[in-house]
Amino acid sequence: MNNLLIRGVGWFVKPDSCSKKLTIGLESNAVSSALWPPASTLLSEKLMKTVIHPLLLISAALTVVSGIAVANEIPARQRKFFTTFCLQCHGPETQEADFRVDSLLHISETAEDAEYWQLVLDNLHLGEMPPEGERQPSASEVESATTWIEAELRRARQVLAGQAGEVVLRRLNRTEYEYTIEDLFGVRGDFADGFPADATAEGFDNNGAALMLSATQIDAYLTAADFVLERAIETGRRPKTNRSVFTLHDFNREAWKRHREQLERRLRDFDELTPDEQQRTRQMQQSLSENPHDGFGFPVWENGGLRVPTPEDGPDVDAVIAIKASYAAPDTRRVFSARHAGWYRFRITAFAVRNDGEPVRLKISHGSFRQGTIPEIADVLHLTDDSPQEFEYRVYLQPNHIIKLEMIDGENWAPREKLIELPGPFIVIRSMEMEGPLIDEWPPQGHQLLLGKRDASQLNDDDLPTILAELAPRLFRRPSSTAVIDDYVQFYRNLRKDRGSRKENLSPLDAFRLTVRAMLASPHFLYHIEPGERPDNYALANRLSYFLWRSCPDAELLELAAAGRLSEPDVLRNQVDRLLNDRKSDRFLSDFVGQWLGIDLVGEMQPDGNLYPEYDDELERAMAGETEAFIREMLTQDLPLSNLIDSNWAMLNDRMARHYGIGLPASNQPGGDFRRVSLNKADTVRGGLLAQASILNITSNGTTTSPVVRGVWVLERLLGTPAPPPPPDVPAIEPDIRGASTIQEQMERHRSIAQCASCHRKIDPYGIALENFDVIGGWRNAYRALQPTANPNRPRLVDGPTVISSDVLPRRGAFEDFHQFRRLLLEEQPRVDLNLARQLTTFALGRSVGFADEEQLRQIVSATQRDAGGMKTMIRELVQSELFRKP
């Protein structure tokens, strides 16, 4: 073996030179080299093999591979069944879909042949074959054929159980990299913005088969390492923690100051202004002479009314936010300076007035607010009355980042001099407080990881072997051999001695930075390394942690691995529960649910503003938040998986409750928080995934709904039976926003095409059942349509044709509406359970799940059902299974 390509790595490794340096950056830069350790310390030959899971394509000639043991030939009764009902379309003369049943003489012990028979079984179960219009077998004939196939497939699974796919050697994807850096170094930031996008496979972006590595990405890793080390290593004094208390009057005084400075500049440059600007300047001068306090942004709330503020107003006088405008959106830029990256505390006391009992919303966000950036939203307050409430937030700010308050409800805009004339609603901001950076320990976490308590400026060469011996196991997530550590020590020494074009040798600190930079770009750090023929306790810790935390193992997991105890069933079960109970499991929920259900695409196709004027940013966030909160509740409470199809409860906040028309019980929870709400099923269609706005939004196109897209979503994401892609020469359905035709009428063109009909009978009913839900998940009895008006930019919103949501579900029968459809869908619960097990396994292992894994997947599902468990039980069973321990 001269060269061996590690799949997903993109590096050719020569066994006789594995211990040499591997150049991964610019040759002219000393920091561009990382170390590739001896192969014996990194990978076994088994792990270095390329793992290939090709997509199985059905060919016209399926033959039994010579040399493979086969079962007995098809019994006469089953052979007659296939001859009678299958060969007309899948025989010697005609091969629909390039498939010949007459060539399937045996169910052999190869995954390929078993996959073909699984396809036959699925089509018989779904009622797809024989197709409508052809001679149909009796129920007893179908049962006899499917019973025989199922028995043979069970035998095949047992034979093939040892041939399941191996976990592909895979690198950390962007999400895992960012969380690993955060947990190791305590550093956050945009250091991963330059990373190329991770490709997906089987629906997830952590699949090793798709995670390649390019020179561009290596450069991005080196740049990211520079950012991390610059933030982590402290060479100065501990930053001072500052605290500032301020009110809206501070912003008024700042506004007056800027207003006067602006007028002074205008008067100074008056002759150079345009006539219009000169007139505006005269108006400003006249206004200021008549009202010395002109230019304020926040009126005073006093004795149940508004008045103009004065410079003498102090913190004992309340002021209000009255409009949605940039000059009435206070930020902390001029009252508190965030000079250091880190955690800050923000506290606000606020209440609503003149709101007629309706919630008034205040958005609290933070970031740079530069053009092209997206600030992070800390909260959206729902203030309902005039009782002052205090809210506190702990936010991570980068240097020069600010916190901004924006009123969502109320007037869009008004001149400053007209603010006190507005009717309301208003938000009273009584006080605000900022404190930070909040420092829990010094030196901070990242510094201690790298150097302990040592003073970075006093670093010396004699310290390096000890420092690197302590650091390597933390970065590489397992004990490091003496050879690996010696390689990095030598790398450091070469940097210290090699002057090159420099006039002076690198300092110990600079050489140390470059050494750690190389470690952060090495395969040990960037890849999930699993030496040996079978995952050891460290590999188990790594799999478990990246599955449920999306990050590196913590000290407890590594200690259990070192003691050889993590693989003990009771210990492993306890660790699953510990990880799921930790707040870091929110990362798993967000990442897994977002990709499995596709809700990370919410808002990607913006709804038409004329058709759906009620859609806004808050509703968009709440849509995805509802689904994530729903799955979180199912996980933490270990609720039955049937809740995925239908439930008598929902996770709602005020915004989603209003959207669905559901009244919330009195609660002391803030309006933006999701809480579990019992549903009266006689009054609402909500409950389960299919009635959630996020799912209904991502399966729409912004103007109208698509039964085909929704049907494909149900089949693929919920039932785990993906529909085939459409023929390339069939045009897509175009939305009719005039309301001239129903979606069913538009779909007739597809159903009338013979090559499409069989698939659409399988797909369409699952989507048509959801037609009463509009683009943003609202319930409708008629389609929305736009009627032209005299103003072409302002069409009138009118009712279009009546919605029809009846159809026939394959194998289950007819349904008249969504309620009946959902009851029929509950009969498919076994398929939902198996699909969830498959999705969790694919995500946990970072590889595709094949036929040979099916038996163990079914065992996981059976164990979950036996214990009357839900998602948490399924995760426990998966982690305890042989699937999770396979190499």
Side-chain angles (χ1 to χ4, degrees):
M1 181 173 62
N2 296 323
N3 293 314
L4 184 62
L5 175 63
I6 304 179
R7 183 176 185 175
V9 181
W11 295 329
F12 284 96
V13 181
K14 296 182 178 180
D16 59 351
S17 60
C18 281
S19 61
K20 295 183 179 179
K21 294 180 183 178
L22 177 65
T23 300
I24 57 176
L26 298 175
E27 293 291 344
S28 61
N29 194 335
V31 301
S32 65
S33 294
L35 300 183
W36 184 272
S40 60
T41 69
L42 179 61
L43 301 170
S44 67
E45 182 176 351
K46 182 177 182 62
L47 272 176
M48 293 177 70
K49 289 189 295 186
T50 300
V51 184
I52 300 175
H53 296 286
L55 178 65
L56 298 177
L57 300 176
I58 301 173
S59 66
L62 297 176
T63 57
V64 178
V65 180
S66 60
I68 301 294
V70 298
N72 294 328
E73 291 189 356
I74 300 175
R77 184 176 181 182
Q78 278 69 48
R79 188 186 294 262
K80 179 181 178 181
F81 176 91
F82 296 122
T83 301
T84 304
F85 299 107
C86 303
L87 293 191
Q88 183 175 347
C89 297
H90 302 284
E93 297 181 3
T94 304
Q95 297 92 40
E96 294 287 345
D98 290 334
F99 187 81
R100 284 184 65 173
V101 174
D102 62 318
S103 295
L104 289 174
L105 300 178
H106 308 84
I107 296 182
S108 71
E109 286 83 357
T110 68
E112 289 81 0
D113 283 354
E115 288 278 4
Y116 303 145
W117 279 106
Q118 184 69 56
L119 180 64
V120 173
L121 179 65
D122 289 344
N123 277 285
L124 289 173
H125 275 324
L126 291 170
E128 295 296 317
M129 295 295 163
E132 189 176 329
E134 299 294 337
R135 180 181 176 184
Q136 299 293 314
S138 66
S140 61
E141 289 174 314
V142 172
E143 182 180 4
S144 174
T146 56
T147 299
W148 175 78
I149 297 174
E150 287 170 347
E152 287 298 296
L153 287 176
R154 281 194 297 271
R155 181 192 59 77
R157 289 190 189 101
Q158 293 175 355
V159 174
L160 298 170
Q163 300 179 26
E166 295 175 338
V167 176
V168 179
L169 178 65
R170 58 192 173 102
R171 63 168 173 81
L172 305 183
N173 68 8
R174 176 171 172 165
T175 298
E176 293 169 335
Y177 182 93
E178 289 182 313
Y179 284 137
T180 300
I181 291 295
E182 179 182 340
D183 290 349
L184 285 174
F185 297 94
V187 172
R188 291 185 173 192
D190 56 2
F191 53 84
D193 282 357
F195 289 10
D198 292 320
T200 61
E202 304 296 329
F204 297 107
D205 63 4
N206 67 337
N207 193 307
L211 290 172
M212 302 302 163
L213 188 67
S214 65
T216 299
Q217 188 135 2
I218 287 292
D219 287 340
Y221 284 136
L222 294 172
T223 301
D226 289 338
F227 178 96
V228 171
L229 295 174
E230 180 66 28
R231 289 286 178 86
I233 299 175
E234 292 291 345
T235 57
R237 295 181 178 180
R238 173 178 177 146
K240 180 182 178 181
T241 297
N242 297 309
R243 178 176 175 269
S244 178
V245 179
F246 45 94
T247 69
L248 291 178
H249 298 299
D250 295 292
F251 296 96
N252 278 338
R253 282 186 278 274
E254 179 66 30
W256 286 326
K257 177 183 176 183
R258 294 199 306 272
H259 191 66
R260 283 165 173 75
E261 290 174 347
Q262 182 185 23
L263 179 58
E264 291 173 1
R265 287 194 302 271
R266 284 174 172 269
L267 291 173
R268 185 173 60 246
D269 302 327
F270 187 83
D271 293 339
E272 300 177 10
L273 300 178
T274 65
D276 288 343
E277 287 298 314
Q278 289 179 347
Q279 178 64 22
R280 172 61 181 156
T281 302
R282 294 189 188 98
Q283 292 173 351
M284 290 176 63
Q285 191 176 27
Q286 176 67 25
S287 178
L288 195 59
S289 65
E290 295 174 356
N291 180 9
H293 307 316
D294 188 27
F296 68 92
F298 307 100
V300 166
W301 176 256
E302 192 172 64
N303 298 323
L306 298 183
R307 69 165 171 84
V308 174
T310 68
E312 291 74 30
D313 292 325
D316 56 327
V317 179
D318 289 327
V320 306
I321 297 179
I323 58 174
K324 300 182 286 184
S326 59
Y327 65 82
D331 63 59
T332 58
R333 191 185 319 270
R334 293 178 175 85
V335 294
F336 187 92
S337 178
R339 299 181 182 277
H340 302 276
W343 291 99
Y344 290 77
R345 181 181 294 110
F346 178 73
R347 186 181 292 119
I348 180 174
T349 301
F351 55 96
V353 293
R354 286 192 185 173
N355 58 316
D356 297 327
E358 293 295 322
V360 189
R361 296 168 295 167
L362 181 69
K363 181 168 68 175
I364 303 173
S365 51
H366 56 92
S368 70
F369 292 89
R370 294 192 306 269
Q371 186 174 4
T373 64
I374 301 176
E376 185 173 342
I377 297 174
D379 200 1
V380 175
L381 301 181
H382 289 234
L383 305 170
T384 57
D385 54 41
D386 59 1
S387 301
Q389 298 183 66
E390 185 178 280
F391 305 89
E392 184 175 300
Y393 305 94
R394 182 181 168 97
V395 298
Y396 193 96
L397 301 181
Q398 301 293 339
N400 302 316
H401 276 196
I402 60 175
I403 295 177
K404 188 174 185 177
L405 307 179
E406 297 174 86
M407 186 174 178
I408 297 178
D409 301 295
E411 296 288 336
N412 282 324
W413 183 88
R416 288 178 171 88
E417 61 270 16
K418 299 292 185 180
L419 291 178
I420 62 173
E421 301 175 13
L422 296 174
F426 308 125
I427 294 177
V428 179
I429 307 293
R430 176 156 290 178
S431 68
M432 289 167 280
E433 179 183 328
M434 277 285 290
E435 183 181 13
L438 306 175
I439 300 174
D440 299 325
E441 57 182 349
W442 192 262
Q445 175 185 341
H447 185 103
Q448 292 196 41
L449 170 73
L450 293 166
L451 295 168
K453 299 284 187 178
R454 298 176 182 86
D455 184 339
S457 63
Q458 301 300 314
L459 193 64
N460 63 72
D461 294 344
D462 293 338
D463 291 335
L464 258 296
T466 300
I467 291 173
L468 294 178
E470 294 171 351
L471 177 60
R474 295 294 308 278
L475 293 186
F476 300 155
R477 305 181 286 279
R478 63 171 47 252
S480 296
S481 68
T482 302
V484 170
I485 296 170
D486 288 346
D487 280 343
Y488 283 107
V489 171
Q490 187 59 48
F491 184 72
Y492 167 85
R493 289 172 176 164
N494 290 340
L495 289 171
R496 289 278 287 132
K497 291 186 295 185
D498 183 14
R499 294 180 57 168
S501 61
R502 300 185 303 271
K503 295 182 179 180
E504 297 180 1
N505 291 343
L506 285 175
S507 69
L509 180 56
D510 287 340
F512 174 69
R513 287 179 190 269
L514 298 180
T515 302
V516 177
R517 188 183 195 240
M519 296 173 78
L520 292 176
S522 77
H524 284 296
F525 180 77
L526 296 177
Y527 280 80
H528 298 277
I529 302 299
E530 298 182 353
E533 293 296 314
R534 185 177 177 84
D536 59 9
N537 274 262
Y538 289 102
L540 192 58
N542 196 67
R543 288 190 183 187
L544 185 62
S545 183
Y546 278 99
F547 175 28
L548 300 179
W549 279 358
R550 313 301 294 123
S551 183
C552 56
D554 66 352
E556 184 170 333
L557 280 173
L558 292 176
E559 288 170 3
L560 288 170
R565 298 192 56 216
L566 187 57
S567 55
E568 297 175 10
D570 290 344
V571 173
L572 192 54
R573 178 190 175 92
N574 290 338
Q575 287 302 306
V576 169
D577 290 348
R578 181 178 74 87
L579 267 61
L580 288 176
N581 290 334
D582 192 282
R583 290 193 62 180
K584 285 194 278 190
S585 65
D586 286 348
R587 302 167 176 177
F588 154 70
L589 274 168
S590 178
D591 201 17
F592 174 71
V593 174
Q595 295 187 78
W596 164 41
L597 300 179
I599 62 169
D600 50 3
L601 301 177
V602 168
E604 186 174 81
M605 186 72 73
Q606 287 288 304
D608 184 289
N610 290 319
L611 281 168
Y612 298 96
E614 69 268 44
Y615 184 85
D616 57 22
D617 290 343
E618 188 192 7
L619 179 60
E620 182 178 299
R621 291 190 302 273
M623 285 178 176
E626 176 197 6
T627 302
E628 194 171 311
F630 181 83
I631 299 297
R632 180 182 292 107
E633 182 73 3
M634 286 192 60
L635 175 63
T636 56
Q637 302 301 322
D638 204 24
L639 299 176
L641 297 178
S642 58
N643 284 279
L644 294 171
I645 297 177
D646 194 11
S647 63
N648 59 7
W649 57 275
M651 296 298 292
L652 303 176
N653 64 359
D654 286 358
R655 187 69 177 90
M656 291 309 301
R658 290 201 310 273
H659 185 56
Y660 293 155
I662 297 175
L664 292 181
S667 170
N668 59 359
Q669 290 180 282
D673 289 348
F674 287 91
R675 57 269 204 190
R676 181 167 172 168
V677 178
S678 296
L679 300 176
N680 183 344
K681 300 295 284 187
D683 295 336
T684 181
V685 297
R686 306 300 165 178
L689 288 175
L690 296 180
Q692 293 182 13
S694 64
I695 306 302
L696 299 159
N697 174 256
I698 63 172
T699 53
S700 304
N701 61 15
T703 54
T704 191
T705 54
S706 170
V708 176
V709 175
R710 286 180 169 177
V712 168
W713 187 95
V714 175
L715 288 169
E716 181 177 316
R717 309 283 181 139
L718 194 60
L719 300 179
T721 54
D729 56 342
V730 178
I733 295 176
E734 294 296 330
D736 180 5
I737 62 175
R738 301 166 303 167
S741 61
T742 66
I743 193 69
Q744 286 89 346
E745 291 169 340
Q746 297 173 56
M747 290 172 63
E748 284 303 321
R749 75 180 74 172
H750 284 228
R751 292 172 174 168
S752 64
I753 301 174
Q755 67 199 87
C756 301
S758 62
C759 287
H760 276 273
R761 281 197 302 271
K762 175 181 178 181
I763 298 170
D764 294 352
Y766 293 96
I768 289 174
L770 307 180
E771 273 297 277
N772 281 110
F773 297 102
D774 64 24
V775 166
I776 59 175
W779 183 263
R780 64 186 177 189
N781 292 312
Y783 293 99
R784 294 190 185 191
L786 296 176
Q787 188 177 82
T789 65
N791 184 345
N793 297 320
R794 289 187 175 275
R796 182 182 297 111
L797 189 60
V798 297
D799 282 346
T802 300
V803 173
I804 300 173
S805 58
S806 59
D807 209 321
V808 179
L809 199 63
R811 297 192 308 127
R812 299 300 178 189
F815 59 87
E816 292 299 320
D817 54 25
F818 176 69
H819 299 278
Q820 290 185 11
F821 164 77
R822 192 159 52 183
R823 286 195 292 271
L824 292 175
L825 195 61
L826 282 169
E827 299 177 21
E828 303 286 358
Q829 189 63 48
R831 293 166 66 187
V832 175
D833 295 355
L834 183 60
N835 178 59
L836 178 58
R838 184 179 292 109
Q839 298 293 334
L840 284 168
T841 302
T842 302
F843 185 79
L845 299 181
R847 71 163 173 88
S848 302
V849 175
F851 173 82
D853 302 310
E854 288 292 318
E855 186 64 27
Q856 293 181 65
L857 287 177
R858 294 175 190 275
Q859 291 173 5
I860 292 170
V861 172
S862 296
T864 302
Q865 295 170 342
R866 181 188 63 235
D867 295 339
M871 193 171 176
K872 180 182 285 187
T873 298
M874 183 171 283
I875 290 173
R876 289 174 182 150
E877 295 294 335
L878 167 59
V879 172
Q880 297 275 10
S881 72
E882 182 65 20
L883 267 179
F884 203 75
R885 314 289 187 90
K886 282 185 175 297

